[in-house]
């Protein structure tokens, strides 16, 4: 059955490649399933439109609208409408208020990815759903949490919420686990081998992260969240805890750990370099989708940390960036957050989902995703990957197809929405 869907996100206002693709995979996936889709954003706050070429903010969404339209075209759905509302002036771009009301009236589904858009007119739709991208932060009243009650259904990338070992407080919301969807063929690497021989000089692993030290409209990576007197923060904490593992990997295994980073000050850059990271300009990597896609496809694997809150609170979060690596047939070595694919049995107290040998990390059994908790496990996971690279490469793509492909993920989401 074909449905009418409205997808909301944060791509027009923040048109960096990885960010736009996180929302575009929803739109393109629904389109490929045969559904009618509109992409809608609203300004949310003053000066919310970021311009990567200048680093400035203003209220003009024109560049972001064009960027999102171009991304949709790359994914084979360039005819998808992109509608945008400037709240301050009540100005609609590429549509009119009456057309928006007509589309929302009786729409089968409004899917608000990240919760950064909110219109009274959403209530005109048959069903509305929030996709929580930041488990732990949302449930403790941070960014996106103020309007949680406005939705009929609540999905979360926190696949471990409610489990015995999850430390996120019960906020009274029935969170339904889901995972980031990916359009597989967009990430096809063009060959069945690694971009370079594992262990050889080159981008043996890459990840894109953003470190910022200033606040933009109180949404700068949400800062920290506090539970029972303890604060839980961002990726910086986990990168510092990882210490010199990248340097050891280079010396012992000839593996180059590369970090594409934006916003790090000079002291942070020196610390990362001393610990063995090869630094790449995250702004350059994220400037356009072709550069970003090439950065992923030309890596051998992803080696990454998660936000401290995701890890320490055992949220079960999984990255929309990591699914792109998997779809490209690139294994991922990632921090254990308690991730369990929807439908898997949740952990009970005392159990661990960690598996540096790549066999038990997410309960999937055969590799492609290797998780770690301690720094020694991180080292061991990379060693395992280099020793059985072909196996993990093949399993990476198989996992992406079985767990994260847009067809099962979005079909399950729509079926749950009814």
């Amino acid at each position: 059955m074909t449905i009418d869907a409205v997808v909301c996100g944060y791509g027009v206002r923040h048109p960096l490649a990885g960010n736009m693709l996180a929302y575009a995979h929803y739109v393109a996936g629904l389109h490929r399933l045969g559904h009618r889709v509109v992409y809608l954003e609203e300004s949310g706050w003053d000066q919310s439109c970021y311009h990567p070429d200048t680093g400035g903010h203003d209220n003009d969404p024109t560049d972001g609208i064009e960027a999102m339209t171009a991304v949709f075209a790359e994914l084979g759905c360039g005819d998808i409408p992109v509608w945008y509302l400037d709240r301050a002036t009540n100005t609609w771009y590429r549509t009119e208020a009456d057309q928006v009301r007509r589309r929302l009236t009786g729409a089968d589904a409004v899917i608000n990815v990240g919760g950064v858009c909110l219109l009274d007119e959403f209530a005109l739709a048959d069903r509305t759903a929030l996709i929580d991208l930041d488990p732990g932060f949302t449930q403790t009243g941070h960014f996106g949490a103020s309007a949680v009650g406005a939705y009929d259904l609540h999905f979360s990338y926190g696949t471990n919420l409610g489990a015995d070992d999850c430390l996120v407080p019960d906020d009274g919301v029935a969170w339904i686990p889901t995972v980031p969807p990916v359009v597989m063929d967009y990430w096809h690497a063009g060959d069945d081998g690694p971009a370079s021989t594992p262990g050889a000089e080159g981008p043996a692993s890459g990840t894109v992260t953003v470190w910022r030290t200033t606040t933009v409209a109180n949404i700068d990576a949400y800062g920290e969240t506090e539970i029972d007197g303890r604060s839980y923060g961002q990726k910086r904490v986990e990168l510092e805890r990882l210490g010199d593992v990248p340097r050891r990997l280079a010396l012992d295994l000839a593996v180059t750990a590369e970090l594409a980073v934006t916003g790090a000050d000079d002291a942070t850059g020196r610390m990362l370099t001393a610990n063995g990271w090869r630094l790449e300009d995250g702004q350059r990597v994220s400037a356009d989708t072709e550069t970003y896609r090439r950065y992923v496809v030309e890596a051998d694997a992803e080696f990454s940390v998660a936000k401290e809150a995701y890890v320490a609170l055992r949220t079960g979060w999984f990255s929309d960036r990591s699914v792109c690596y998997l779809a490209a047939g690139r294994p991922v070595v990632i921090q254990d957050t308690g991730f369990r694919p929807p439908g898997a049995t949740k952990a009970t107290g005392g159990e661990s989902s960690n598996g540096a040998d790549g066999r038990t990390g997410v309960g999937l059994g055969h590799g492609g995703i290797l998780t770690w908790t301690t720094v020694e496990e991180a080292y061991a996971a990379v060693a395992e990957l280099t020793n059985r690279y072909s196996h993990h490469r093949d399993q990476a793509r198989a996992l992406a197809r079985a767990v994260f492909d847009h067809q099962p993920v979005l079909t399950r989401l729509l079926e749950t929405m009814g």
Side-chain angles (χ1 to χ4, degrees):
M1 180 182 70
T2 301
I3 70 163
D4 285 309
V6 177
V7 174
C8 304
Y10 183 50
V12 170
R13 288 168 286 175
H14 199 71
L16 292 176
N19 187 59
M20 291 189 292
L21 285 164
Y23 307 108
H25 280 305
Y26 279 89
V27 172
L30 290 167
H31 175 78
R32 292 186 181 209
L33 291 174
H35 303 304
R36 293 184 290 268
V37 190
V38 167
Y39 181 79
L40 184 152
E41 273 194 53
E42 52 95 359
S43 56
W45 54 88
D46 188 36
Q47 303 286 303
S48 63
C49 296
Y50 174 64
H51 298 275
D53 54 342
T54 65
H57 291 78
D58 59 26
N59 293 316
D60 184 2
T62 304
D63 291 345
I65 292 171
E66 292 177 354
M68 283 299 292
T69 301
V71 172
F72 292 156
E74 290 178 13
L75 286 162
C77 54
D79 57 342
I80 296 294
V82 177
W83 295 348
Y84 184 89
L85 172 65
D86 183 336
R87 279 185 174 274
T89 62
N90 201 33
T91 300
W92 280 100
Y93 289 75
R94 296 201 176 180
T95 186
E96 297 178 352
D98 288 346
Q99 185 179 18
V100 174
R101 288 186 62 86
R102 286 194 301 270
R103 185 61 185 252
L104 287 171
T105 299
D108 298 293
V110 170
I111 302 171
N112 197 338
V113 185
V116 291
C117 301
L118 188 64
L119 298 177
D120 292 340
E121 289 84 356
F122 287 171
L124 297 171
D126 287 349
R127 300 286 271 174
T128 59
L130 170 66
I131 312 293
D132 165 35
L133 307 184
D134 291 278
F137 293 96
T138 301
Q139 290 73 25
T140 52
H142 282 248
F143 180 54
S146 60
V148 165
Y151 302 92
D152 297 315
L153 289 137
H154 305 83
F155 296 86
S156 179
Y157 287 0
T159 62
N160 203 42
L161 293 177
D164 292 347
D165 64 336
C166 180
L167 301 181
V168 177
D170 183 359
D171 61 352
V173 175
W175 293 102
I176 303 165
T178 191
V179 294
V182 66
V183 175
M184 292 285 297
D185 58 62
Y186 184 78
W187 298 98
H188 182 57
D191 62 75
D192 293 325
S196 60
T197 302
E201 182 64 26
S205 56
T207 184
V208 179
T209 187
V210 176
W211 288 0
R212 293 176 178 164
T213 57
T214 58
T215 298
V216 180
N218 297 319
I219 64 163
D220 186 3
Y222 318 166
E224 298 179 339
T225 189
E226 184 173 310
I227 299 174
D228 296 332
R230 177 182 168 183
S231 294
Y232 299 89
Q234 303 291 314
K235 288 183 179 180
R236 177 188 293 269
V237 177
E238 299 302 325
L239 278 168
E240 290 176 347
R241 189 166 70 88
L242 191 61
D244 69 346
V245 167
R247 182 175 61 80
R248 291 168 54 198
L249 293 174
L251 291 173
D252 299 344
L253 303 175
V255 168
T256 300
E258 182 174 279
L259 187 67
V261 60
T262 302
D265 57 27
D266 290 343
T268 298
R270 288 192 295 271
M271 179 269 291
L272 291 170
T273 301
N275 282 337
W277 291 101
R278 184 173 72 180
L279 300 186
E280 174 60 273
D281 181 358
Q283 189 79 5
R284 184 197 67 79
V285 168
S286 299
D288 61 82
T289 50
E290 181 53 36
T291 302
Y292 184 84
R293 178 166 55 173
R294 188 166 60 249
Y295 183 78
V296 170
V297 169
E298 291 180 355
D300 290 315
E302 181 192 26
F303 178 51
S304 183
V305 301
K307 294 180 181 180
E308 181 192 27
Y310 297 160
V311 175
L313 296 173
R314 300 288 294 168
T315 63
W317 173 84
F318 199 87
S319 169
D320 56 67
R321 179 192 61 249
S322 293
V323 304
C324 300
Y325 278 90
L326 293 172
R330 303 311 185 227
V332 298
V333 179
I334 55 176
Q335 218 166 352
D336 181 19
T337 66
F339 169 67
R340 291 176 178 272
T345 302
K346 288 187 176 181
T348 58
E351 292 181 350
S352 172
S353 66
N354 179 70
D357 63 359
R359 296 183 176 87
T360 60
V362 293
L364 296 177
H366 300 290
I369 299 174
L370 298 87
T371 64
W372 58 273
T373 298
T374 68
V375 294
E376 291 308 317
E377 288 173 348
Y379 181 95
V382 176
E384 156 66 16
L385 176 58
T386 59
N387 289 333
R388 295 201 302 156
Y389 183 83
S390 295
H391 166 77
H392 289 292
R393 179 198 64 211
D394 294 341
Q395 288 301 313
R397 188 171 285 129
L399 277 174
R401 184 170 292 109
V403 179
F404 302 104
D405 180 72
H406 72 275
Q407 182 168 355
V409 172
L410 297 178
T411 299
R412 182 171 57 245
L413 187 147
L414 293 175
E415 289 175 347
T416 303
M417 292 187 69

